[in-house]
Amino acid sequence: MEWMVWTAPTALVFAGLGALLCVMAVWAKVSPPVARRGFLRIETDRGDRLYIGLISAAVVLAGWIAVTDLSMWLALGCALLVAVVIGIWG
């Protein structure tokens, strides 16, 4: 990844996202997703909830940076919690 001049954390995030998408593609092939309604009040399958969860986590992280100087580790925990809650019950 040296040609991109990325830092190691940035490369890990994008490698993790790529791995997550590959896992979701294999999971969809093995067990096709079924749309259902959760607390989001729209019909979503697990891919939709993953996308909404990732966008929501990004909003939490950006909002955290905008309004507080607390640790980013705490922000990461909150963002992951939001993504997991949307993924499971969304």
Side-chain angles (χ1 to χ4, degrees), residues 9-71:
T10 304
L12 286 173
V13 166
F14 280 96
L17 287 173
L20 182 62
L21 290 175
C22 289
V23 167
M24 290 293 288
V26 170
W27 189 10
K29 202 69 158 155
V30 171
S31 170
V34 177
R36 65 173 173 81
R37 282 182 163 217
F39 70 83
L40 294 174
R41 299 284 191 201
I42 57 174
E43 250 187 42
T44 59
D45 64 17
R46 62 180 166 248
D48 299 330
R49 289 188 300 275
L50 173 67
Y51 178 74
I52 294 168
L54 289 174
I55 296 298
S56 299
V59 168
V60 167
L61 290 169
W64 191 278
I65 290 170
V67 299
T68 185
D69 289 331
L70 295 175
S71 171

